[in-house]
Amino acid sequence: MNFAAIVFILGWVLILEAVFMIFPCIVAVIYHEPSGFSFLIVAAICAIAGVLITRKRPKNQVYYAREGFVTVALSWIIMSIFGALPFVINGDIPSFTDALFETISGFTTTGASALKEVEVLSFCSLFWRSFTHWIGGMGVFVFLLAILPLTGGYNMHLMRAESPGPSVGKLVPKVKETAKILYGIYIFMTIAEIIMLLFAKMPLFDAITTSFGTAGTGGFGIKNDSMMSYSIPIQAIVTIFMILFGVNFNFYYYLLGKHKKNAFKMEEVRWYFIIISVCILIITLNVYKIYGNVFAAFHHSAFQVASIITTTGFATADFNVWPQVSKTILVVIMFIGACAGSTGGGIKVSRILILAKSVKQEINSFIHPRSVKVIKFDKKGLDADTVKSVSAFLVTYVLIFGASMFLLAFDNLDLVTNFTSVAATFNNIGPGLEIVGPVGNYSIFSPFAKYVLMFDMLAGRLELYPLLLLFTPSVWKKN
C-alpha cells in the first residue's frame, strides 16, 4: 500500500473542499447571515491542513487499484466529516450525528434527511446541503482529475473507484480530457436547468439549489414539502432534467461528437427509457381515480417515476397513499436505478440487463447443453470477468442489504419502514414508505441505526467495494 500517495491526494481533497466552502460563505454575505463564519472557519482548517499535506509530492508515484479504492473511500468519509462541522458550529444542526447524516446524504446524493424542519435552516446551510449533491453527483475525483495532474498515469484507478456502473472507460485517450468532457456536460446541463427554471418564474436561490439537487440526482429540498408547492411548469422542467441526468453521460458525448450512431446503439439507454415509459403508463392508469383527470395523474406519475428511478428523491405527491400496485412499481425501480455513468444510484440498468441475459443463457444451456453463446451488450461480447463481477456485485449487495435490515430491526420499527429505509439509502434515493415516506424523515431512528444507514449511503454511492476494502486487513499491508 502506497500510504504516501494516498495521504497526498487526501490533502488535495481537503483543499478542494475548502474551495467549495467559499460558495456558502458568499451566500451568507448576500443574506447577511453570521452563520456563514462557520463555513469560513472550516474552510480555513481544510485549506491549512491540505496545503501542509501537499507541500511535498511523494517519491513513489505508482498507484494501483487498491490504493485508488481506499483513497476514494477515505476521501468521501473525510469530506463528509469536515462538511458536517459548519452545521454543528453555527447551530443549524446541533447534533453531530444528524449533521454527519445530512452531509453524507448530501455528498452521496441520497437526499434522506434527519431533520423535521428544513425551512428553519439559514440560507448558507440550505445552499451547502444542495451543493453537496452537485459535488457528489459527478464525483470529487472526476473534478480533481479535470484540473490537476494527479498520480501520473495511474489516475484511471481513481475514476473507476468513484464512477457508478459495472465498468468505466475513457472517452478520449487521456483521463484528464475525459474528466473535462464529463464535467463540461455536467455544468452545461446544470446551467440550462437553472435558466429554464428562472423562465418558469422560480426564485433564483430556489432555482440554483433545485438544479444542484436535480443534477446530482440528490433531492434535498429547501422546503418541507419538497417540490409540492411549486407550479406545474416548474415540476415538469425538473421531471425532464431528472430523466436526462439519469442517462449515461457517454450518450451525450457521442451525441455531441462525431460518433452520433454510437449514441443510439447504447442498449442501456434504450431500456432506461422503455422502463420509465412503461412505469409511467401503468401508474397513471392506477392513480387516475385519485386525481380525477388524466393530465394530473400523468404529471405526478411521471415526476415520481423520474424521481425514483434516477434516485433523485424529489416529490410532488405523497405516494405513500397511492394504491399498492403503484407503490410496488416505485419500490422495484428503486433497485433498478439509473444508467451506469450517470449521476444516479441503484443497481444500474446495465447490471440488470447483464443479469437478465445471464439467466437467459443459463436456461438455454439446459435446453442446448452443447451450444456456446457469448453474452452480448451493445452488440459486443462480454468477457467472463465482467459477467462474474456483476454476479458478485449482486451477491454482495444482497448480503449488505440483509445485514442492514437486521441491524435496523433493533429500533423496533415496522418492516416496511425498515425495508424501504435501507432500499432508499443503499440505492441513494432518499424517501421510502411509511415513516420515511415523501412527507416523512429519518429523525425517528436511533443514532446507531443512523450510522448503519450512513454506511449504506456511502457503500451504495461508491459501488460497495471501495468502502468494504477499508475493513480488509490485508489491504493495509505495505508494499
Side-chain angles (χ1 to χ4, degrees):
M1 180 68 71
N2 189 345
F3 292 107
I6 292 173
V7 172
F8 179 76
I9 295 180
L10 291 179
W12 276 112
V13 169
L14 287 173
I15 291 172
L16 185 60
E17 184 161 26
V19 173
F20 284 143
M21 282 194 180
I22 292 172
F23 292 96
C25 291
I26 294 171
V27 172
V29 171
I30 293 170
Y31 288 97
H32 308 289
E33 294 177 330
S35 54
F37 280 110
S38 62
F39 290 96
L40 191 61
I41 292 167
V42 178
I45 294 170
C46 290
I48 293 169
V51 169
L52 290 174
I53 291 171
T54 57
R55 283 178 65 188
K56 188 177 180 181
R57 184 178 287 269
K59 293 179 181 179
N60 184 5
Q61 296 284 322
V62 178
Y63 210 80
Y64 296 115
R66 66 172 182 174
E67 281 94 352
F69 277 53
V70 168
T71 303
V72 167
L74 288 175
S75 296
W76 281 68
I77 292 170
I78 289 170
M79 281 186 65
S80 297
I81 291 171
F82 280 97
L85 293 178
F87 293 131
V88 179
I89 294 170
N90 65 25
D92 277 349
I93 310 176
S95 165
F96 177 75
T97 297
D98 287 347
L100 186 62
F101 185 96
E102 209 74 10
T103 309
I104 289 177
S105 182
F107 279 125
T108 59
T109 73
T110 303
S113 181
L115 306 178
K116 295 179 181 178
E117 298 280 338
V118 298
E119 293 180 31
V120 298
L121 298 180
S122 59
F123 282 100
C124 58
S125 289
L126 285 172
F127 180 90
W128 180 242
R129 282 174 83 244
S130 297
F131 193 40
T132 54
H133 279 334
W134 194 84
I135 297 167
M138 184 58 68
V140 64
F141 281 102
V142 176
F143 186 85
L144 271 177
L145 294 175
I147 61 174
L148 296 171
L150 290 175
T151 65
Y154 302 94
N155 43 27
M156 193 63 190
H157 296 308
L158 292 171
M159 187 177 281
R160 283 202 177 103
E162 188 179 55
S163 299
S167 63
V168 177
K170 300 177 186 178
L171 297 176
V172 291
K174 292 185 178 180
V175 175
K176 187 173 182 178
E177 294 304 314
T178 299
K180 284 182 179 179
I181 290 168
L182 291 173
Y183 247 100
I185 296 170
Y186 191 52
I187 292 169
F188 174 80
M189 290 175 65
T190 305
I191 293 172
E193 184 181 0
I194 292 171
I195 292 170
M196 291 188 70
L197 290 174
L198 289 174
F199 273 114
K201 298 182 179 179
M202 193 180 205
L204 179 59
F205 183 81
D206 298 39
I208 292 172
T209 52
T210 300
S211 296
F212 285 162
T214 309
T217 60
F220 268 152
I222 61 171
K223 295 184 181 294
N224 293 325
D225 64 0
S226 188
M227 297 295 296
M228 297 180 193
S229 58
Y230 291 109
S231 67
I232 289 176
I234 287 173
Q235 294 173 353
I237 291 168
V238 173
T239 301
I240 293 167
F241 275 94
M242 284 191 294
I243 294 171
L244 293 177
F245 278 108
V247 173
N248 190 321
F249 273 51
N250 288 7
F251 175 83
Y252 299 125
Y253 172 74
Y254 292 138
L255 204 62
L256 296 170
K258 299 177 182 178
H259 309 284
K260 290 180 176 59
K261 290 183 179 179
N262 290 346
F264 299 101
K265 290 179 182 177
M266 295 182 71
E267 191 176 351
E268 179 186 32
V269 176
R270 188 163 61 249
W271 275 102
Y272 169 72
F273 282 107
I274 290 171
I275 293 167
I276 288 173
S277 301
V278 171
C279 290
I280 290 173
L281 176 62
I282 295 172
I283 293 177
T284 298
L285 296 173
N286 193 233
V287 302
Y288 170 75
K289 290 183 180 179
I290 295 176
Y291 296 101
N293 67 79
V294 176
F295 175 78
F298 174 81
H299 171 73
H300 290 296
S301 300
F303 190 97
Q304 294 316 140
V305 168
S307 180
I308 298 300
I309 197 168
T310 62
T311 70
T312 305
F314 283 136
T316 59
D318 183 6
F319 51 79
N320 236 338
V321 299
W322 282 6
Q324 293 301 321
V325 170
S326 296
K327 288 196 287 187
T328 302
I329 290 172
L330 292 179
V331 170
V332 170
I333 61 177
M334 276 184 185
F335 291 93
I336 295 174
C339 297
S342 71
T343 60
I347 294 173
K348 304 294 181 302
V349 175
S350 56
R351 283 199 183 95
I352 299 296
L353 290 174
I354 293 170
L355 287 167
K357 290 182 178 186
S358 299
V359 171
K360 183 181 177 182
Q361 185 191 51
E362 194 66 22
I363 292 171
N364 287 335
S365 68
F366 287 106
I367 301 171
H368 307 287
R370 294 183 180 179
S371 67
V372 179
K373 288 187 177 181
V374 177
I375 296 174
K376 290 187 176 182
F377 193 75
D378 288 341
K379 297 183 179 180
K380 297 177 183 177
L382 291 177
D383 58 74
D385 288 340
T386 301
V387 178
K388 181 183 175 182
S389 69
V390 170
S391 301
F393 177 91
L394 185 65
V395 172
T396 309
Y397 180 98
V398 171
L399 289 173
I400 295 175
F401 194 99
S404 300
M405 280 280 294
F406 174 74
L407 293 173
L408 255 62
F410 287 97
D411 269 23
N412 206 29
L413 299 175
D414 66 275
L415 187 62
V416 174
T417 295
N418 286 345
F419 181 87
T420 56
S421 293
V422 175
T425 51
F426 203 15
N427 294 308
N428 306 131
I429 296 162
L433 295 174
E434 299 300 337
I435 296 172
V436 294
V439 295
N441 55 71
Y442 289 74
S443 60
I444 192 170
F445 285 101
S446 66
F448 172 75
K450 287 175 183 173
Y451 279 101
V452 172
L453 295 174
M454 284 185 238
F455 175 90
D456 289 342
M457 287 188 273
L458 286 167
R461 174 59 182 85
L462 299 178
E463 304 274 283
L464 311 184
Y465 298 115
L467 200 62
L468 292 180
L469 277 175
L470 296 181
F471 301 94
T472 307
S474 59
V475 169
W476 298 100
K477 293 180 180 179
K478 288 187 177 183
N479 292 335

